Amino acid sequence: MNDLLQKPRKVYVSRKIEFNAAHRLFNPLCTEEENLAIYGKCSNKNGHGHNYLLEITICGIVDPNTGFLFDLKELKNILKEEIMERFDHKNLNHDVPDLQECVPTTEVLAVLIWDILEQRLHNINNREISLHEVKIYETGKNSVSYFGE
Amino acid sequence: MNDLLQKPRKVYVSRKIEFNAAHRLFNPLCTEEENLAIYGKCSNKNGHGHNYLLEITICGIVDPNTGFLFDLKELKNILKEEIMERFDHKNLNHDVPDLQECVPTTEVLAVLIWDILEQRLHNINNREISLHEVKIYETGKNSVSYFGE
Amino acid sequence: MNDLLQKPRKVYVSRKIEFNAAHRLFNPLCTEEENLAIYGKCSNKNGHGHNYLLEITICGIVDPNTGFLFDLKELKNILKEEIMERFDHKNLNHDVPDLQECVPTTEVLAVLIWDILEQRLHNINNREISLHEVKIYETGKNSVSYFGE
Amino acid sequence: MNDLLQKPRKVYVSRKIEFNAAHRLFNPLCTEEENLAIYGKCSNKNGHGHNYLLEITICGIVDPNTGFLFDLKELKNILKEEIMERFDHKNLNHDVPDLQECVPTTEVLAVLIWDILEQRLHNINNREISLHEVKIYETGKNSVSYFGE
Amino acid sequence: MNDLLQKPRKVYVSRKIEFNAAHRLFNPLCTEEENLAIYGKCSNKNGHGHNYLLEITICGIVDPNTGFLFDLKELKNILKEEIMERFDHKNLNHDVPDLQECVPTTEVLAVLIWDILEQRLHNINNREISLHEVKIYETGKNSVSYFGE
Amino acid sequence: MNDLLQKPRKVYVSRKIEFNAAHRLFNPLCTEEENLAIYGKCSNKNGHGHNYLLEITICGIVDPNTGFLFDLKELKNILKEEIMERFDHKNLNHDVPDLQECVPTTEVLAVLIWDILEQRLHNINNREISLHEVKIYETGKNSVSYFGE
């Protein structure tokens, strides 16, 4: 079965999910004026928010028995547990313990999500599957990618 | 000039803008439990947020001299003053006086934006131009339209 | 609460869902040649398929107590039960009893979904909420709308 | 066949096509300064251009024999002949005779395309099919609709 | 001509096309229960389908005479012959000989399309142009990329 | 502050902007017939145009003090000065001095924008930030990427 997979084929599988969150860019070690100079309207006192569109890419050799890189149902569950429950309909400054000591920029969020998913995939991984990229679109115009480097 | 416009032509012109805001769906006249029953995770204590995509539609007869329904530069300025300055990078519950007595659902936001723009266009209007529709996409999946009815 | 809602406000709320289905456009009362003349490659023997993007619009007066037209959690459940369970990952020609006597064009699908949802909303409806539009995007280029007329 | 279509069902079918064209907004009856005041950078001497996304909507009763409102292959041919050959990869100011006496705004273009398609559909129409809407997205942010009013 | 191209410039050119196909994920070497455990609703007996959005990327040095990497008209023809005629409005399980021995997952489809296009481009190639990536979006949420590794 | 950033994290930040321009693909060293053979309808005498969607990606180590790779307000200003003022609402053949000796294909445009931005970022750069990619979508179907190779 699956002659095409007789030689190893390395593919990249991406999955998009969206979460809605509030945040405020504010560094408590700086004054209000310094925060305003660095973060502009993103430092407004009562915060604002975004529809964060997250795209996760994993890579590895296609399983010749199933034709899948990874069970998508399992990936969906991981993203539900690790991402949606942690970030969706939350305030990134107040509701996410991992961000307590951080200014929750999109860059920081991408790095944090990488660390969370890398750990999780490492634990369950019995084949050669790697996290390849965490990409976050904060708006339709701005995005940040992190590849674990 | 503009033979096509010798008879009156009624067109509908739409313009999209995006603003990023935080909100929390919470009715202070109800208990926490009642709010949770009605609003679910949207009533989480510290709020969440969205990229609100707003589409404004105005209608009227095309001006045979310019070929325009309305000066788009003027419409951009109106939307900047009335919408972006009021809602962008704001917390809808705390930063918008008109919403102080409201639960800031997308329905309520559409109605409020209609009232604001209808008033503004009425004041400047020296030709027969009407606000036709205020449409807000809260996410890629959900939207609300209000036509002033 | 909600001064903006002291006068009745009629809004239109839309929700998008996607289902993936196979179909074949073929009228058993016609010959193969006639089917090919009418339906072209859409009548290919073994069928093809689409990501159907369905947009449902309901309308009515905003509830002044909640700021909602309708409980979105309830709407999600209705769409899950009536649409996703009936059509998602199905073959429209073989798996959907209501389409047994039909050529499953997008026009027919829009009419059928209207009839299903109109019945369901009628049964649960204790306020003045109406189904307004059923719109199906068969591809990014083609769509069909039905308003119950 | 097609029990769902035993009673007449009025549907709206939309089709999107894209054409790429140059234009300059400039009224030869006005001075350069007046043109700049009205049209801003859109009056720049050597013109600019757009990917115009055109959405045509026709409406009528679904044919109970085919389940179609209208043969989509025929609609594709009409749009190819009437729209693509006339506007695609053209300069709207110099290459389109119908626009010689016009400032080619999006409003004017929508009206012209309505007139062209209304005439064409009228000529071939042996059933009750009407042109319902011509909508042009000039950019992702701006669009104009004309309904023949 | 083309001073900018006096030094070699390596660019990546991407082209998107869409095809609509039915498929069923089912491995005949496994039982119905095993298939259901692996493929879930994707193994439903009568199949389902998708609008597959395919993005092909080729790379190489820009031709200093034309300013093109590759003649887009020729690329369009290749994609029409090799992709559209093979996959569009087809059932991947029954109508595509190359997939007879395969479970037609998106991963397998990406690998097959790579093999087809790599062969074809190799045969016509008289300059240094390479196939770089085959990316397939099965839905708006899921995609698979293959780079020939 | 920002424990997550105690080790260096290399991120890629992308920003999209749109400009609207006219162009004609025509090489004055070739005959009309040769141009038609190479460029097809893109060589039409009076030109055509596009909504060019430009995506710029820069990369480097996240600043542990701000959580930013680069001040987005500064990036916006650079793109306004270098891209929008040079290309928006212009005719690429006549209004852009850098393209006088070129056929303004999307490939050439990507290379030119790389050269412009690379120079500009080099001049202001006091930290380790690099231009990574210039990507231009000429239409929704075609795009070109240049990485400076």
Side-chain angles (χ1 to χ4, degrees):
Chain A
M1 187 88 209
N2 276 335
D3 280 358
L4 285 164
L5 303 180
Q6 280 183 345
K7 72 173 181 183
R9 307 279 196 161
K10 184 183 185 186
V11 298
Y12 296 75
V13 172
S14 297
R15 171 94 187 158
K16 283 185 186 165
I17 58 171
E18 187 185 295
F19 59 90
N20 311 121
H23 78 155
R24 181 196 183 191
L25 300 187
F26 184 82
N27 185 338
L29 303 179
C30 302
T31 64
E32 287 281 344
E33 288 70 28
E34 288 168 335
N35 273 290
L36 189 63
I38 299 170
Y39 299 114
K41 62 187 176 182
C42 296
S43 69
N44 280 351
K45 189 181 168 194
N46 295 308
H48 61 284
H50 295 290
N51 301 334
Y52 290 95
L53 182 61
L54 172 67
E55 187 175 35
I56 298 299
T57 304
I58 58 178
C59 68
I61 305 300
V62 182
D63 182 334
N65 295 313
T66 63
F68 280 157
L69 171 64
F70 191 72
D71 183 350
L72 199 58
K73 296 186 299 297
E74 190 174 353
L75 183 59
K76 279 186 194 177
N77 282 341
I78 292 172
L79 294 176
K80 185 164 177 288
E81 285 176 33
E82 300 292 356
I83 306 300
M84 295 309 281
E85 292 185 7
R86 206 180 299 245
F87 299 111
D88 187 40
H89 282 74
K90 296 292 171 65
N91 184 307
L92 300 182
N93 300 69
H94 298 113
D95 298 334
V96 181
D98 292 316
L99 290 171
Q100 290 302 309
E101 299 295 311
C102 299
V103 182
T105 63
T106 312
E107 287 90 333
V108 166
L109 200 52
V111 164
L112 172 60
I113 290 174
W114 175 280
D115 286 4
I116 291 168
L117 290 178
E118 229 268 317
Q119 181 77 31
R120 175 70 184 258
L121 285 170
H122 186 77
N123 290 342
I124 62 154
N125 212 338
N126 52 4
R127 289 193 303 126
E128 289 301 321
I129 294 164
S130 311
L131 184 60
H132 174 69
E133 181 180 4
V134 168
K135 184 168 192 172
I136 306 178
Y137 301 83
E138 192 190 44
T139 68
K141 289 182 181 168
N142 300 324
S143 63
V144 172
S145 281
Y146 183 58
F147 295 84
E149 300 168 309
Chain B
M1 188 87 209
N2 275 337
D3 280 0
L4 284 163
L5 303 180
Q6 279 184 344
K7 70 174 183 183
R9 305 280 196 162
K10 184 182 185 188
V11 298
Y12 297 75
V13 172
S14 297
R15 172 92 186 159
K16 283 184 186 167
I17 58 171
E18 187 186 295
F19 58 90
N20 312 122
H23 77 157
R24 180 196 185 192
L25 300 186
F26 185 81
N27 185 337
L29 304 179
C30 302
T31 64
E32 287 281 345
E33 288 71 28
E34 287 167 336
N35 272 289
L36 189 63
I38 299 170
Y39 299 114
K41 63 187 176 181
C42 295
S43 68
N44 281 350
K45 189 182 168 193
N46 295 308
H48 61 286
H50 295 289
N51 301 335
Y52 290 94
L53 182 61
L54 173 65
E55 187 175 33
I56 299 299
T57 304
I58 57 177
C59 68
I61 305 300
V62 182
D63 183 335
N65 295 313
T66 62
F68 279 156
L69 171 64
F70 190 71
D71 183 351
L72 200 58
K73 297 188 298 296
E74 189 173 355
L75 184 58
K76 279 186 194 177
N77 282 342
I78 292 172
L79 294 176
K80 186 164 177 287
E81 284 175 33
E82 301 290 357
I83 306 299
M84 296 309 280
E85 291 184 8
R86 207 181 297 247
F87 299 112
D88 187 39
H89 283 73
K90 296 292 170 62
N91 184 309
L92 300 182
N93 300 69
H94 298 114
D95 299 332
V96 182
D98 292 316
L99 291 171
Q100 291 302 309
E101 299 294 312
C102 300
V103 182
T105 63
T106 313
E107 286 90 334
V108 166
L109 200 53
V111 165
L112 172 60
I113 290 175
W114 175 280
D115 286 3
I116 291 168
L117 291 177
E118 229 268 316
Q119 180 79 31
R120 175 71 184 257
L121 285 171
H122 186 76
N123 290 342
I124 61 155
N125 212 338
N126 52 5
R127 289 193 303 124
E128 290 301 321
I129 293 165
S130 312
L131 184 59
H132 173 69
E133 181 179 6
V134 168
K135 185 169 191 172
I136 306 178
Y137 300 84
E138 192 188 46
T139 69
K141 289 183 182 168
N142 300 326
S143 63
V144 172
S145 282
Y146 183 57
F147 296 85
E149 301 169 305
Chain C
M1 188 87 210
N2 275 336
D3 280 358
L4 284 163
L5 303 180
Q6 279 184 343
K7 71 173 182 184
R9 306 279 196 162
K10 185 183 184 188
V11 298
Y12 296 76
V13 172
S14 297
R15 172 93 187 158
K16 284 185 185 165
I17 59 171
E18 186 186 295
F19 59 90
N20 312 122
H23 78 156
R24 180 197 184 191
L25 300 187
F26 184 82
N27 185 338
L29 303 180
C30 302
T31 64
E32 286 282 343
E33 289 69 28
E34 288 168 335
N35 272 291
L36 190 62
I38 300 170
Y39 300 115
K41 62 187 176 182
C42 295
S43 68
N44 281 351
K45 189 181 168 195
N46 295 308
H48 61 285
H50 295 289
N51 301 335
Y52 290 94
L53 182 61
L54 172 66
E55 186 176 35
I56 299 299
T57 303
I58 57 177
C59 69
I61 305 300
V62 182
D63 182 334
N65 295 313
T66 62
F68 280 156
L69 171 65
F70 190 72
D71 182 350
L72 198 58
K73 297 187 297 298
E74 190 175 353
L75 183 59
K76 280 186 195 176
N77 281 342
I78 291 172
L79 294 176
K80 184 164 178 289
E81 285 176 33
E82 301 291 356
I83 306 300
M84 296 308 281
E85 292 185 7
R86 206 181 299 245
F87 299 111
D88 188 40
H89 283 73
K90 297 292 170 63
N91 185 307
L92 300 182
N93 300 68
H94 299 112
D95 298 333
V96 181
D98 293 314
L99 290 170
Q100 289 303 310
E101 299 295 312
C102 300
V103 183
T105 62
T106 313
E107 285 91 333
V108 166
L109 200 52
V111 164
L112 172 60
I113 291 174
W114 175 280
D115 286 3
I116 291 168
L117 291 178
E118 229 268 318
Q119 180 79 30
R120 175 69 184 258
L121 285 170
H122 186 77
N123 290 341
I124 62 154
N125 213 338
N126 52 5
R127 289 194 303 126
E128 289 300 321
I129 293 165
S130 311
L131 184 59
H132 174 69
E133 181 180 4
V134 168
K135 184 169 191 171
I136 305 179
Y137 301 83
E138 192 189 45
T139 70
K141 288 183 182 168
N142 300 326
S143 62
V144 172
S145 282
Y146 183 57
F147 295 85
E149 300 169 307
Chain D
M1 189 85 208
N2 275 338
D3 279 359
L4 284 164
L5 303 179
Q6 280 185 342
K7 69 173 183 184
R9 305 281 195 162
K10 185 183 185 188
V11 298
Y12 297 74
V13 172
S14 298
R15 173 90 186 160
K16 284 186 186 164
I17 58 170
E18 187 186 294
F19 59 90
N20 311 122
H23 77 156
R24 180 197 184 192
L25 300 186
F26 184 82
N27 186 337
L29 303 180
C30 302
T31 64
E32 286 281 345
E33 289 71 27
E34 287 167 336
N35 272 290
L36 189 63
I38 298 170
Y39 298 114
K41 62 187 175 182
C42 294
S43 68
N44 281 350
K45 188 181 168 196
N46 295 307
H48 60 285
H50 295 290
N51 301 335
Y52 290 94
L53 182 61
L54 172 66
E55 186 175 34
I56 299 300
T57 303
I58 57 177
C59 68
I61 304 300
V62 182
D63 183 332
N65 295 315
T66 62
F68 280 158
L69 171 64
F70 191 72
D71 182 350
L72 199 57
K73 297 187 298 297
E74 189 175 353
L75 183 59
K76 279 186 195 176
N77 282 341
I78 292 172
L79 294 176
K80 186 165 176 289
E81 284 176 32
E82 301 290 357
I83 306 299
M84 295 309 281
E85 292 183 7
R86 205 180 299 246
F87 299 112
D88 187 39
H89 283 74
K90 297 291 171 64
N91 184 308
L92 301 182
N93 300 69
H94 298 113
D95 299 333
V96 182
D98 292 316
L99 290 171
Q100 290 302 311
E101 299 295 313
C102 300
V103 183
T105 62
T106 313
E107 286 91 334
V108 166
L109 200 53
V111 164
L112 172 60
I113 291 174
W114 175 279
D115 286 2
I116 291 168
L117 291 177
E118 230 268 316
Q119 180 79 30
R120 174 72 184 256
L121 285 170
H122 186 76
N123 290 341
I124 61 157
N125 213 338
N126 53 5
R127 288 194 303 124
E128 290 300 321
I129 293 166
S130 312
L131 183 60
H132 173 69
E133 181 180 5
V134 168
K135 185 169 191 172
I136 305 178
Y137 301 83
E138 192 188 46
T139 69
K141 288 182 181 167
N142 300 327
S143 62
V144 172
S145 282
Y146 183 57
F147 296 86
E149 300 170 304
Chain E
M1 188 84 209
N2 275 337
D3 281 0
L4 284 164
L5 303 180
Q6 280 184 344
K7 71 174 182 183
R9 306 279 195 162
K10 184 182 185 187
V11 298
Y12 297 75
V13 172
S14 298
R15 173 93 186 157
K16 282 184 187 166
I17 58 170
E18 187 185 295
F19 59 90
N20 310 122
H23 77 156
R24 181 197 184 191
L25 300 186
F26 184 82
N27 186 337
L29 303 180
C30 301
T31 64
E32 286 281 346
E33 288 70 29
E34 286 168 337
N35 273 289
L36 189 63
I38 298 170
Y39 300 114
K41 62 187 176 182
C42 295
S43 68
N44 281 350
K45 189 182 169 194
N46 295 308
H48 61 285
H50 295 289
N51 301 335
Y52 289 94
L53 181 62
L54 173 66
E55 187 175 35
I56 299 299
T57 304
I58 57 177
C59 68
I61 305 299
V62 182
D63 183 334
N65 295 314
T66 62
F68 279 157
L69 172 64
F70 190 72
D71 183 350
L72 199 57
K73 297 187 298 296
E74 190 174 353
L75 184 59
K76 279 185 194 177
N77 282 341
I78 292 172
L79 294 176
K80 186 164 177 288
E81 284 175 33
E82 301 291 357
I83 307 299
M84 295 310 280
E85 292 183 7
R86 206 181 297 246
F87 299 111
D88 187 39
H89 283 72
K90 297 291 171 64
N91 184 308
L92 300 182
N93 299 70
H94 299 113
D95 299 332
V96 182
D98 292 315
L99 291 171
Q100 290 302 310
E101 299 294 312
C102 299
V103 182
T105 63
T106 312
E107 286 90 333
V108 167
L109 199 53
V111 164
L112 172 60
I113 290 174
W114 175 279
D115 286 3
I116 291 168
L117 291 177
E118 229 268 317
Q119 182 77 30
R120 174 71 184 257
L121 285 170
H122 187 75
N123 290 342
I124 62 156
N125 213 337
N126 52 4
R127 289 193 303 124
E128 289 301 322
I129 293 165
S130 311
L131 184 59
H132 174 68
E133 181 180 4
V134 168
K135 185 169 191 173
I136 305 178
Y137 300 83
E138 192 189 43
T139 68
K141 289 183 180 168
N142 300 326
S143 63
V144 171
S145 282
Y146 183 57
F147 296 84
E149 301 169 305
Chain F
M1 188 87 209
N2 276 337
D3 279 0
L4 284 164
L5 303 180
Q6 280 186 343
K7 70 173 183 183
R9 305 281 194 161
K10 185 183 185 186
V11 298
Y12 296 75
V13 172
S14 298
R15 173 92 186 158
K16 284 185 186 163
I17 58 170
E18 187 186 295
F19 58 91
N20 311 121
H23 78 156
R24 180 195 185 193
L25 300 186
F26 184 81
N27 185 337
L29 303 180
C30 301
T31 64
E32 287 281 344
E33 289 69 28
E34 287 167 335
N35 273 291
L36 189 63
I38 299 170
Y39 298 114
K41 61 187 177 183
C42 295
S43 68
N44 282 351
K45 188 181 169 196
N46 295 307
H48 60 285
H50 295 290
N51 302 335
Y52 289 95
L53 182 61
L54 172 66
E55 186 174 36
I56 299 299
T57 304
I58 56 177
C59 69
I61 305 300
V62 183
D63 183 333
N65 295 314
T66 63
F68 280 157
L69 172 63
F70 191 72
D71 183 350
L72 198 57
K73 296 186 299 296
E74 190 174 352
L75 183 58
K76 280 186 195 177
N77 282 341
I78 291 172
L79 294 176
K80 186 165 176 288
E81 284 176 32
E82 301 290 358
I83 306 300
M84 295 308 282
E85 292 183 6
R86 206 180 298 246
F87 299 111
D88 187 39
H89 283 73
K90 296 292 171 63
N91 184 307
L92 300 182
N93 299 69
H94 298 113
D95 298 333
V96 182
D98 292 316
L99 291 171
Q100 290 301 312
E101 299 294 313
C102 298
V103 183
T105 63
T106 313
E107 286 91 332
V108 166
L109 200 53
V111 164
L112 172 60
I113 291 174
W114 176 278
D115 286 3
I116 291 168
L117 290 178
E118 230 268 316
Q119 181 78 29
R120 173 72 184 256
L121 285 170
H122 186 77
N123 290 342
I124 62 155
N125 213 337
N126 52 5
R127 289 193 303 126
E128 289 301 321
I129 294 165
S130 311
L131 184 60
H132 174 69
E133 182 180 4
V134 168
K135 185 169 192 172
I136 305 179
Y137 300 83
E138 192 189 43
T139 68
K141 288 182 181 167
N142 299 328
S143 63
V144 172
S145 282
Y146 183 57
F147 296 85
E149 300 169 306

